[in-house]
Amino acid sequence: MVDTKPLLPASNSDGSYLTGSRVNSLKPIKVYLTIFCGLLAVGLFAALLIGNYWSENARIHGSLASSTSKRTHPLRPVSRGPAQGVSEKTSGIWAGVSRGPAQGVSEKTNRFRAGVPWNILPEPWNSTMLEWQRTAFHFQPEKNWMNGPLFYNGWYHFFYQYNPNGAVWGDIVWGHAVSKDLINWFHLPLAMVADQWYDKNGVWTGSATILPDGKIVMLYTGSTTEAVQVQNLAFPANHSDPFLIDWVKYHGNPVLVPPPGIYKKDFRDPTTAWLTSEGKWRITIGSKRDKTGISLVYDTKDFINYEMLEGELRAVSGTGMWECVDFFPVSKTEEKGLDTSINGPEVKHVVKVSLDDDRHDYYALGTYHEKNGSWIPDLPEIDVGIGIRYDYGIFYASKTFYDQNKNRRVLWGWIGEGDSEAADMEKGWASLQSIPRTVLFDNKTGTNLLQWPVEEIESLRLNGTEFEKVEVKAGSVVPLDVGPGSQLDIIAEFEIDKEALKKATGSNITFSCQTGGGAAKSGALGPFGILVLADESLSEQTPVYFYIAKDSDGDLKTFFCTDLSRSSKAPDVDKQIFGSYVPVLKDENLSLRVLVDHSIVESFAQGGRTVITSRIYPTEAINGASRVFLFNNATETRVTASVKIWQMDSAFIRPYSDDDDKDDDDRKSSAPCLL
Amino acid sequence: MKNLIVIIFAFLVCQANAFRPILLLGNQNLIERTCKQTPFYDLCIWSLKSNPESRDASVKKLAQIMVDSLKTKATETLDLIDELLQDGLALDPEMQKALTSCAERYNVIIRGDVPEINEALKTGDYKFAVKGANDAAIEANSCEIEFPTKSPLTDMNKVVHDVSVVAASIVKIIQTKFSF
């Protein structure tokens, strides 16, 4: 396409060639036309060259494409059957079924197969191992996906995010269950489904507020047909139905849409409302601006019309999207919970956020300023989102509610799975709720909240065994004979050799559970603790332990960890080491409590100052083979442990039938988050 | 002189269209910047650039392209597994067991993970997109280690694994940096 015209170079000059004599007037036009075409040609050629170069670059990596689209064939000569034309859609279905004409099962129904056992399980799983994983006394739906509880009232109500179609997240609607004691549950029909344009893409998290006259209003986030996040109002169809089976969505929904400056997908999870001194209701909704997590504040008189306050409840840069914001008061002096509307000098306010970026729940203590709807943390260096976590393991989308019947604030969290989704789909369910925990201000440290399993869990305790002052020498393991170890409540206290604490060699290496090498790595003053879900030969074990680190100045710092690295021989499960620093006061012994319930282990240190929830999927340490041990892997100290272990009964968690009693207790509470 | 200016002006106007691919080099930078933040740069670049929809794409669209690529690769792999399984009696039992197990894992990728990622991307709850993509990588890896000796699926398992990891990385970019 190169078209070199002799006139081209001449055109770059000042046009002097035009001074040449002309015979007729057409000649100049011809000349201009020729120049024009010439330039066009050059330009197009140049564009072609550059364009070629660009696509050439892309093709350099074309070798990758060709190698992967080539099919590898086995070396043996094979006879091709008639099934050459197995279509894409049906090809997977007959995995595990011997060859035959492909079934015409559509893609959609196959996803709904969660719960239908496939013929061959992926290695190393077999059905005994998978069946063992289901918990005995933690809330979980009969099948499929669940996350977050939302709950309210009298009969403790549980509204939770549920996928009716499969054991992975998606198609979210509201499941519903009720309980008298937070431990035994009845499943009820779905409370709300995605049947309106404003929640078509998901009936997401909400919170309930109980009005002074006892009526309930529910605010929840809906993902619209355009996937915009909006807030909607709903209320029970029949307030005198103790089971609150039917719900009505307000005809004027949505009541709140993303305000200017807030992206349409960063506006969700409205909180329970609290009263202002002006008699208005106030709520907060998490969001973000760029990478700064924020919580917007709205006032309302009727839950239908809202005024947005200027500024935010709090903003913390670098934390990203704030989900499931929770805001509540705690008493500085009394060991009881407070109604969400309480304020005063004897009170501190907690802000809690679930960070979408790292899937952890953080809280911070501070002071609420009602006038402008803002909150200031006591210690900005551990502001919400960058400081203390409720739980250092798997625990998300949690929220509290005020239980007026027992004057306590109760926390609930969603515990996801740590295994592969293939296993989830095979076993037909995924996710559970933590055991509900009471939340109290830790006035001994002044910086932490204390979480402790609700006392009702103790009703499941069967026979208990006590071990007093067992000496565990450095580098040893002591079996605790309590029978099968899948459903246990363990309380243990550890005494360290005081001399050893003083004499131990300090180190200038900063310790953390995550980098400390797990329970197998010895230190002078740790690790020591218990092994749960361990088999006789310890080929699988889950250590829950303390590690006392001494720095080069001689200061002691205690850590509480759970080590999943050897919890299972299976290669496709989560095997992290979880944990954190736990404050230990001068005269305190080290104490822990562990609830073992099949594939979930909840561990509490120092009365609940630091908590770790983990998911464990052993292949051998299941059923009768599961044991408990004490261990001490420290090199410079022996440890004396006093332990009490109870076998735990199973709770009943089942669909409600007409034979069950219908009580109408007058308990009131407000509602925590649901994601 | 004036005529020359007219010619040159006309020339520039006509050339604008021809030079359009170069003007779009701006988006090439976005693809490169995005892929640099993934652990498999080459694979990322190739997967995105070979799809014409990446030309004017936002990061979110790039993530979607990656997920579509994951679905395609996973489906190809599953087709291959089915083909190998049809050799039936010619296969030794261990190979058959491993292939069947792999088929189940790839079923999960195509019918579980990919829809989960797509719904999460659509509705903006990105952590479930990351979860789905990470799980796809685990499933592909788990398939590969099922084979006691030589795996007939090594190349394809690696591609599916790496594409999943890249998809997860791109979603994390959306999640932590952008508002879209």
Side-chain angles (χ1 to χ4, degrees):
Chain A
M1 229 181 96
V2 183
D3 197 357
T4 49
K5 299 259 180 212
L7 287 170
L8 217 51
S11 70
N12 284 334
S13 68
D14 59 0
S16 54
Y17 74 94
L18 294 169
T19 54
S21 55
R22 268 169 271 178
V23 177
N24 53 23
S25 55
L26 274 175
K27 216 172 170 201
I29 296 173
K30 251 205 226 162
V31 166
Y32 296 150
L33 212 57
T34 322
I35 297 167
F36 180 75
C37 288
L39 291 175
L40 198 71
V42 170
L44 286 171
F45 179 56
L48 189 76
L49 278 177
I50 295 170
N52 231 0
Y53 176 69
W54 174 71
S55 55
E56 196 62 56
N57 250 344
R59 250 186 289 268
I60 286 170
H61 307 284
S63 53
L64 208 69
S66 45
S67 70
T68 52
S69 58
K70 220 188 295 176
R71 301 218 158 162
T72 51
H73 292 275
L75 291 175
R76 272 183 268 236
V78 288
S79 48
R80 297 273 157 210
Q84 293 279 38
V86 178
S87 79
E88 187 185 292
K89 271 202 174 143
T90 56
S91 58
I93 315 298
W94 56 277
V97 177
S98 51
R99 285 91 19 241
Q103 273 79 35
V105 182
S106 79
E107 192 181 277
K108 260 217 168 109
T109 42
N110 203 55
R111 188 176 163 205
F112 301 179
R113 284 188 65 196
V116 177
W118 284 328
N119 288 339
I120 307 272
L121 286 132
E123 283 288 302
W125 304 105
N126 63 35
S127 34
T128 311
M129 297 173 194
L130 292 183
E131 275 153 28
W132 172 89
Q133 290 173 11
R134 195 167 175 90
T135 67
F137 51 86
H138 282 73
F139 181 86
Q140 50 183 133
E142 297 176 274
K143 60 185 180 87
N144 295 341
W145 175 274
M146 180 205 73
N147 60 337
L150 165 81
F151 126 170
Y152 148 83
N153 199 23
W155 271 92
Y156 290 104
H157 279 256
F158 218 9
F159 299 101
Y160 55 94
Q161 300 269 267
Y162 180 61
N163 179 354
N165 298 325
V168 292
W169 178 86
D171 299 341
I172 295 295
V173 297
W174 273 28
H176 188 187
V178 289
S179 168
K180 283 275 184 192
D181 58 2
L182 295 174
I183 302 293
N184 301 290
W185 292 89
F186 292 113
H187 292 300
L188 293 177
L190 297 179
M192 290 203 290
V193 295
D195 56 5
Q196 301 295 323
W197 69 266
Y198 49 76
D199 57 20
K200 198 80 189 139
N201 270 313
V203 189
W204 289 357
T205 294
S207 299
T209 307
I210 302 165
L211 306 178
D213 61 3
K215 294 223 163 46
I216 303 156
V217 289
M218 189 81 79
L219 276 176
Y220 72 96
T221 301
S223 182
T224 68
T225 45
E226 305 298 306
V228 177
Q229 293 167 10
V230 298
Q231 316 311 322
N232 304 307
L233 179 62
F235 32 82
N238 180 4
H239 267 101
S240 52
D241 168 17
F243 279 3
L244 301 176
I245 303 256
D246 297 304
W247 286 78
V248 171
K249 297 177 185 174
Y250 173 58
H251 64 265
N253 277 335
V255 294
L256 270 178
V257 297
I262 294 296
Y263 181 58
K264 61 185 180 178
K265 293 192 182 156
D266 295 336
F267 184 64
R268 54 186 183 267
D269 316 335
T271 63
T272 296
W274 64 93
L275 282 165
T276 68
S277 51
E278 289 175 21
K280 293 191 203 161
W281 290 101
R282 182 167 285 177
I283 62 167
T284 186
I285 303 180
S287 182
K288 69 168 179 152
R289 285 200 187 98
D290 292 326
K291 252 209 115 171
T292 299
I294 62 175
S295 198
L296 304 168
V297 186
Y298 291 84
D299 279 356
T300 180
K301 289 198 187 131
D302 54 7
F303 290 92
I304 295 169
N305 302 291
Y306 295 81
E307 15 160 336
M308 184 167 138
L309 269 65
E310 253 188 74
E312 307 93 14
L313 182 70
R314 185 68 185 165
V316 181
S317 63
T319 51
M321 178 66 189
W322 284 7
E323 300 190 295
C324 266
V325 173
D326 195 10
F327 178 73
F328 59 90
V330 285
S331 170
K332 291 201 285 192
T333 52
E334 292 180 278
E335 276 189 31
K336 60 173 198 162
L338 299 174
D339 180 280
T340 318
S341 297
I342 303 260
N343 200 357
E346 294 300 290
V347 151
K348 287 207 130 342
H349 276 83
V350 176
V351 171
K352 166 263 165 190
V353 298
S354 289
L355 293 191
D356 192 33
D357 285 3
D358 64 9
R359 289 171 306 289
H360 297 315
D361 282 3
Y362 295 80
Y363 71 84
L365 292 154
T367 311
Y368 168 53
H369 297 279
E370 200 214 76
K371 205 98 211 299
N372 59 0
S374 71
W375 169 92
I376 313 286
D378 289 344
L379 297 166
E381 57 272 24
I382 47 168
D383 206 337
V384 68
I386 59 174
I388 307 177
R389 281 165 54 179
Y390 266 142
D391 190 303
Y392 287 88
I394 312 281
F395 185 87
Y396 194 65
S398 67
K399 206 157 175 203
T400 63
F401 73 99
Y402 176 58
D403 177 1
Q404 223 163 305
N405 189 57
K406 292 197 167 184
N407 293 325
R408 55 185 177 179
R409 184 156 283 271
V410 178
L411 169 73
W412 235 326
W414 163 55
I415 317 293
E417 297 293 311
D419 63 357
S420 73
E421 291 191 11
D424 295 346
M425 288 171 86
E426 184 55 45
K427 64 195 193 197
W429 59 270
S431 313
L432 17 120
Q433 288 307 127
S434 65
I435 292 296
R437 306 168 184 173
T438 53
V439 174
L440 287 172
F441 174 66
D442 181 13
N443 50 21
K444 291 190 188 147
T445 60
T447 52
N448 287 54
L449 291 174
L450 294 173
Q451 303 163 59
W452 199 247
V454 289
E455 58 186 9
E456 286 91 334
I457 190 78
E458 292 164 33
S459 66
L460 293 177
R461 285 176 176 170
L462 299 170
N463 42 312
T465 317
E466 218 171 313
F467 304 85
E468 291 236 32
K469 301 222 185 276
V470 179
E471 198 177 286
V472 193
K473 294 198 176 63
S476 66
V477 170
V478 175
L480 296 174
D481 191 9
V482 290
S486 300
Q487 293 173 215
L488 303 171
D489 187 356
I490 304 172
I491 294 191
E493 218 175 78
F494 296 89
E495 272 175 57
I496 323 294
D497 196 358
K498 292 271 189 302
E499 281 305 305
L501 276 178
K502 284 197 210 129
K503 285 195 284 183
T505 36
S507 154
N508 54 4
I509 303 170
T510 334
F511 179 87
S512 84
C513 295
Q514 292 75 8
T515 60
K521 186 120 195 300
S522 295
L525 301 170
F528 57 86
I530 59 171
L531 303 176
V532 295
L533 295 176
D535 64 335
E536 200 70 56
S537 63
L538 298 181
S539 64
E540 291 183 335
Q541 48 174 282
T542 301
V544 178
Y545 58 97
F546 289 101
Y547 188 103
I548 304 176
K550 194 179 199 184
D551 65 13
S552 28
D553 296 329
D555 294 323
L556 298 169
K557 219 174 161 190
T558 311
F559 292 82
F560 182 57
C561 323
T562 303
D563 178 2
L564 273 58
S565 58
R566 284 173 301 165
S567 61
S568 172
K569 287 183 174 162
D572 56 349
V573 296
D574 194 359
K575 291 193 183 162
Q576 298 177 67
I577 303 172
F578 297 130
S580 149
Y581 157 69
V582 54
V584 178
L585 301 173
K586 209 156 186 298
D587 299 316
E588 284 178 358
N589 269 335
L590 294 179
S591 68
L592 58 74
R593 180 175 183 186
V594 179
L595 289 171
V596 179
D597 185 6
H598 296 262
S599 57
I600 182 171
V601 174
E602 288 180 76
S603 320
F604 301 79
Q606 302 310 100
R609 245 175 234 151
T610 297
V611 187
I612 308 171
T613 303
S614 26
R615 297 304 309 276
I616 314 290
Y617 306 94
T619 61
E620 307 216 4
I622 62 175
N623 294 324
S626 178
R627 304 252 177 282
V628 185
F629 298 82
L630 280 167
F631 83 97
N632 177 7
N633 217 6
T635 53
E636 294 184 29
T637 178
R638 61 164 196 273
V639 157
T640 311
S642 297
V643 193
K644 238 174 160 170
I645 305 184
W646 292 266
Q647 288 287 339
M648 294 294 269
D649 200 358
S650 303
F652 70 74
I653 301 173
R654 58 175 170 75
Y656 184 79
S657 79
D658 287 322
D659 302 326
D660 295 306
D661 283 338
K662 259 190 183 187
D663 261 310
D664 193 358
D665 286 8
D666 235 25
R667 278 173 289 186
K668 290 181 189 173
S669 28
S670 43
C673 185
L674 148 142
L675 187 66
Chain B
M1 188 58 204
K2 195 171 99 176
N3 292 327
L4 201 56
I5 293 169
V6 171
I7 291 177
I8 292 178
F9 182 72
F11 156 82
L12 285 173
V13 167
C14 287
Q15 294 312 315
N17 268 344
F19 279 95
R20 246 223 280 145
I22 301 169
L23 291 174
L24 282 180
L25 271 170
N27 205 52
Q28 293 318 303
N29 285 334
L30 176 63
I31 294 178
E32 267 137 32
R33 278 198 326 259
T34 303
C35 288
K36 279 201 178 109
Q37 295 173 73
T38 72
F40 301 106
Y41 179 79
D42 288 346
L43 174 65
C44 175
I45 292 281
W46 179 80
S47 302
L48 293 176
K49 284 196 179 174
S50 60
N51 187 323
E53 290 186 37
S54 69
R55 298 188 82 193
D56 288 307
S58 61
V59 179
K60 186 170 167 206
K61 181 72 183 157
L62 294 180
Q64 188 64 63
I65 293 173
M66 217 60 216
V67 176
D68 293 341
S69 177
L70 166 61
K71 183 171 185 185
T72 306
K73 294 292 170 206
T75 309
E76 281 174 18
T77 311
L78 188 54
D79 286 346
L80 173 58
I81 295 171
D82 291 339
E83 220 182 278
L84 293 172
L85 278 171
Q86 278 165 50
D87 297 338
L89 298 164
L91 288 173
D92 72 67
E94 278 204 345
M95 177 70 83
Q96 182 148 1
K97 188 156 175 252
L99 282 171
T100 313
S101 192
C102 279
E104 180 163 318
R105 292 208 183 255
Y106 272 89
N107 251 318
V108 170
I109 295 178
I110 298 164
R111 289 166 172 78
D113 294 332
V114 169
E116 183 181 10
I117 302 171
N118 285 332
E119 184 165 343
L121 282 177
K122 181 165 97 159
T123 55
D125 203 344
Y126 295 112
K127 61 180 168 302
F128 291 112
V130 174
K131 179 182 192 298
N134 283 336
D135 186 72
I138 291 174
E139 305 297 353
N141 195 54
S142 301
C143 161
E144 183 61 17
I145 62 181
E146 300 245 10
F147 295 93
T149 49
K150 178 90 177 72
S151 156
L153 302 172
T154 305
D155 285 346
M156 301 193 81
N157 277 332
K158 174 142 177 60
V159 168
V160 172
H161 171 272
D162 294 355
V163 166
S164 306
V165 170
V166 170
S169 309
I170 301 181
V171 175
K172 282 230 70 101
I173 296 172
I174 305 172
Q175 198 180 20
T176 59
K177 292 199 166 65
F178 297 92
S179 268
F180 41 7

